[in-house]
Amino acid sequence: MSRVWNFSAGPAVLPEEVLRQAAAEMLDWHGSGMGVMEMSHRGKEFTAIAAQAEADLRELLAVPADYRILFMQGGAIAENAIIPMNLIGDKRIADYVVTGSWSQKSQKEARKYAEVNIAATSEASGFTTVPPMTDWKLSAEPAYVFTCTNETIGGVEYPFAPDLAQIGRGEVPVVADMSSHLLSRAIDVSKYGLIFGGAQKNIGPAGLTIVIVREDLLGRAMAHCPSAFDYQTVADNGSMYNTPPTYAIYVAGLVFQWLKRQGGVAAIEAQNIAKAKLLYDFLDGSGFYENRVDPACRSRMNVPFFLKDGALDEAFLAESKAAGLVQLKGHKSVGGMRASIYNAMPPAGVQALVDFMRDFAARKA
């Protein structure tokens, strides 16, 4: 068996230990005589799996007791509708900070359910930075302020936690799409009213959406909000109002256990800092490649880059694939290249990429 270095933005690389454990347990989970995909979601076997996964996630992120963890479906894109349906209440308006493709999509979807105020945008810079909080223009009484704290496509990551108390608006809950960097770095959950993310970046397979929501924000859903998307209903039923994505929850739970064995979020963050530094330092010093993101706002997880000579793009992709480095093509909306270096990408994979890029540049310059 020959495994490649997979730099996909999602679904993405998973820890090999996790894949091997899932394979070993495929036919018989812990002597039950059945695989997880075959279990009733209400049986004692799966409820134990789900409970352990939730407990491990709460521990890893130090989630306060007054926050609920929900295992949902539909991905982050569905949450773009589910969030306003749950949080608008009688406020009628929500504020959005637009820093790239995903927050742009989020605010467009929210307009179907509420008025939207663009509190700040980095569009003028080509979405290469994050507007400082001093530039945010909040509406008088927004239901929430929406942020995407890591833009997967543009490779822009917030260099600060959006603490609205710093601008005298601490009563307004902050919502954060953390799909592509949740569990990659330490966060203070208490700074947010709601955190959400699709699992297929850093946590597990596609199909699971994680929502971490403060309890006082429950019970505000619009009358026409589908029951399966009403946070209060989901919370009251322990994420089992409908059949949850059982296998995705199981694999996510294995990833949480793997992450704990690595030393937790603090340890993996140190590794992520080192991996990102290795790649960005090479890009900055190469003269052959470039990264266009404000250095203060560069993502540790998603590293877009461009060859100075775009005519070499196809050769780069073909030769990198032949060298066992795959999924490096940039998103179609921005072009160029992109290396996603999530928690499960070992330092050796980033080193292999840098070595290939150095060799390619030496041959093509």
Side-chain angles (χ1 to χ4, degrees), residues 26-77:
M26 179 64 74
L27 296 178
D28 182 7
W29 181 83
H30 294 204
S32 66
M34 56 185 167
V36 175
M37 282 186 284
E38 305 170 289
M39 293 176 178
S40 166
H41 63 293
R42 301 193 189 280
K44 65 179 183 179
E45 295 87 359
F46 183 74
T47 55
I49 289 171
Q52 188 63 56
E54 180 178 337
D56 287 339
L57 179 58
R58 187 174 291 275
E59 177 185 343
L60 284 164
L61 291 175
V63 178
D66 60 337
Y67 283 71
R68 302 297 295 271
I69 294 175
L70 311 180
F71 293 145
M72 298 183 67
Q73 299 173 74
I77 286 182

Side-chain angles (χ1 to χ4, degrees), residues 15 25 39 61 90 96-97 128 197 243 266 299 321 328:
E25 296 176 347
M39 293 176 178
L61 291 175
D90 59 2
Y96 278 67
V97 179
T128 57
T243 305
S299 172
K321 183 177 181 180
L328 285 167

Side-chain angles (χ1 to χ4, degrees), residues 186-226:
I187 58 170
D188 183 349
V189 174
S190 69
K191 299 292 186 185
Y192 303 87
L194 185 149
I195 293 167
F196 72 99
Q200 68 272 17
K201 313 289 189 180
N202 233 346
I203 293 173
L208 169 65
T209 308
I210 289 173
V211 175
I212 304 171
V213 56
R214 203 171 64 219
E215 287 182 340
D216 68 295
L217 297 177
L218 301 175
R220 304 185 182 187
M222 297 176 175
H224 60 269
C225 178

Side-chain angles (χ1 to χ4, degrees), residues 149-150 157 177-185 202 301:
T149 48
N150 189 77
E157 186 169 18
D177 178 353
M178 294 192 180
S179 293
S180 49
H181 73 163
L182 189 63
L183 289 173
S184 73
R185 62 189 302 157
N202 233 346
M301 295 288 98

Side-chain angles (χ1 to χ4, degrees), residues 189-322:
V189 174
S190 69
K191 299 292 186 185
Y192 303 87
L194 185 149
I195 293 167
F196 72 99
Q200 68 272 17
K201 313 289 189 180
N202 233 346
I203 293 173
L208 169 65
T209 308
I210 289 173
V211 175
I212 304 171
V213 56
R214 203 171 64 219
E215 287 182 340
D216 68 295
L217 297 177
L218 301 175
R220 304 185 182 187
M222 297 176 175
H224 60 269
C225 178
S227 298
F229 294 154
D230 183 328
Y231 292 147
Q232 182 74 70
T233 300
V234 177
D236 288 347
N237 286 274
S239 297
M240 298 207 189
Y241 175 76
N242 61 330
T243 305
T246 54
Y247 198 75
I249 292 170
Y250 158 70
V251 176
L254 298 184
V255 172
F256 300 154
Q257 293 167 16
W258 171 83
L259 188 53
K260 289 171 67 175
R261 293 195 297 272
Q262 309 313 302
V265 173
I268 209 71
E269 179 175 14
Q271 185 176 108
N272 289 333
I273 290 170
K275 290 189 303 186
K277 185 177 188 303
L278 173 63
L279 184 49
Y280 282 120
D281 283 354
F282 171 75
L283 290 169
D284 291 343
S286 71
F288 189 85
Y289 308 94
E290 63 176 339
N291 172 275
R292 299 170 183 171
V293 177
D294 175 358
C297 302
R298 285 173 167 176
S299 172
R300 296 175 187 167
M301 295 288 98
N302 310 103
V303 184
F305 61 93
F306 298 84
L307 281 67
K308 295 288 183 68
D309 181 359
L312 294 171
D313 283 3
E314 292 305 315
F316 179 91
L317 290 169
E319 293 188 27
S320 60
K321 183 177 181 180

